[in-house]
Amino acid sequence: MDTTKATWQPFERHGDLTTQSDLPDTVFAFPKQRKEPLTDATHVRNAVARFDQVIDVSDADRALAFANIEKAADYYDVNLSETSWKQLGARGQPHRE
């Protein structure tokens, strides 16, 4: 079982459209790379679906991303059947750049 502590925090700005560059690092599944924003249930589902497409990240980055996805999924009431990031794909797709 992964023991990585999640860094994700909810972020909601009402009234104005928010661009990705306006979001704090704490809203991303991969905060260091600022990949896969987790701003609502749809984005959480997308992050799960695209998890194995993220390239150039370490296993530690993936463990943190999964912890962040789990925390956001709980907050937005998204049911995750996966219990480990390894169930989402261990490596990015090698043919992608």
Side-chain angles (χ1 to χ4, degrees):
M1 181 169 170
D2 292 325
T3 59
T4 303
K5 184 174 166 91
T7 58
W8 181 84
Q9 296 177 8
F11 179 81
E12 297 174 14
R13 182 178 294 168
H14 298 285
D16 296 322
L17 292 177
T18 302
T19 63
Q20 185 169 343
S21 63
D22 292 339
L23 297 172
D25 292 347
T26 55
V27 80
F28 292 91
F30 294 88
K32 186 168 51 171
Q33 297 83 4
R34 295 182 57 83
K35 294 184 178 180
E36 302 303 333
L38 304 170
T39 55
D40 56 31
T42 299
H43 280 95
V44 172
R45 290 183 197 97
N46 285 338
V48 171
R50 297 175 185 196
F51 191 86
D52 68 336
Q53 297 175 9
V54 178
I55 58 172
D56 296 328
V57 294
S58 68
D59 286 354
D61 292 331
R62 289 190 184 282
L64 175 58
F66 186 74
N68 288 333
I69 289 169
E70 282 185 308
K71 188 173 179 182
D74 184 54
Y75 182 84
Y76 293 117
D77 199 28
V78 174
N79 185 21
L80 285 182
S81 60
E82 298 82 6
T83 58
S84 167
W85 66 269
K86 294 175 183 173
Q87 294 172 324
L88 296 175
R91 305 276 184 253
Q93 296 175 357
H95 63 280
R96 295 196 52 185
E97 294 183 21

